Amino acid sequence: FSYCKSLTQITIPSSLTIISQQAFYGCSSLTQIHIPSSVVSIGSLAFHECSSLKDVTFQNPSSLKCISSFLFKSCIALEKISIPDSVTKIESGAFQYCSSLIDVLIPCSVSEIGAVAFNGCSSLKQVTIPTSLTNIGQYAFNPKTNICFK
């Protein structure tokens, strides 16, 4: 579906387990995506440059372990995201340049946040990260983002 510029919504069936790399790359009119619990893997850049994407819902995934590299990069309309409790790693650039992102919930299960993961998220003023975190990559957050540990 890469560069399907008129695609505004998509229903992912509960039988789908993998969303491939760059699957919706550049779908600039896509406004919402609901990811069913059956999805165990989402490839890098799958939603990169979906500039109208505002609503992302993970429907109780129990086996999604990773937010892939540059997954939501440049999704400039994305305002909030709740990362599923099953996720242990947020890879490099996962939310880079999501300039409208103001609210992100990082669960205690996350132990690693990759380089530039939230860099360029100019509206993200404060983020609470779990004390279980063992690695935060270089430039993971903007310098003006207030980091709190829980």
Side-chain angles (χ1 to χ4, degrees):
F1 295 100
S2 291
Y3 293 106
C4 288
K5 300 211 181 269
S6 60
L7 183 66
T8 58
Q9 289 192 141
I10 188 153
T11 301
I12 296 176
S14 59
S15 58
L16 189 74
T17 58
I18 297 171
I19 298 173
S20 294
Q21 183 174 323
Q22 300 182 356
F24 299 97
Y25 188 114
C27 293
S28 57
S29 297
L30 185 64
T31 60
Q32 60 181 338
I33 188 85
H34 300 286
I35 301 169
S37 59
S38 59
V39 173
V40 297
S41 176
I42 305 173
S44 299
L45 301 155
F47 300 103
H48 182 278
E49 291 185 6
C50 291
S51 55
S52 298
L53 187 61
K54 191 172 182 171
D55 181 25
V56 176
T57 306
F58 293 95
Q59 298 171 338
N60 300 321
S62 58
S63 42
L64 183 65
K65 301 294 181 201
C66 180
I67 301 294
S68 300
S69 298
F70 310 106
L71 183 61
F72 296 105
K73 182 181 178 184
S74 299
C75 291
I76 58 173
L78 188 62
E79 293 179 352
K80 63 181 181 175
I81 188 87
S82 289
I83 296 168
D85 289 338
S86 58
V87 170
T88 60
K89 183 177 184 181
I90 300 170
E91 291 187 343
S92 299
F95 297 95
Q96 189 176 25
Y97 302 123
C98 291
S99 56
S100 296
L101 189 63
I102 57 172
D103 188 21
V104 60
L105 177 62
I106 300 174
C108 292
S109 58
V110 173
S111 61
E112 183 176 343
I113 297 176
V116 301
F118 294 92
N119 192 285
C121 297
S122 54
S123 297
L124 188 61
K125 303 299 182 205
Q126 181 171 325
V127 65
T128 301
I129 55 179
T131 56
S132 59
L133 209 60
T134 58
N135 186 29
I136 300 175
Q138 195 170 31
Y139 306 111
F141 298 93
N142 279 348
K144 294 184 179 182
T145 303
N146 185 19
I147 308 291
C148 302
F149 290 91
K150 68 172 177 176

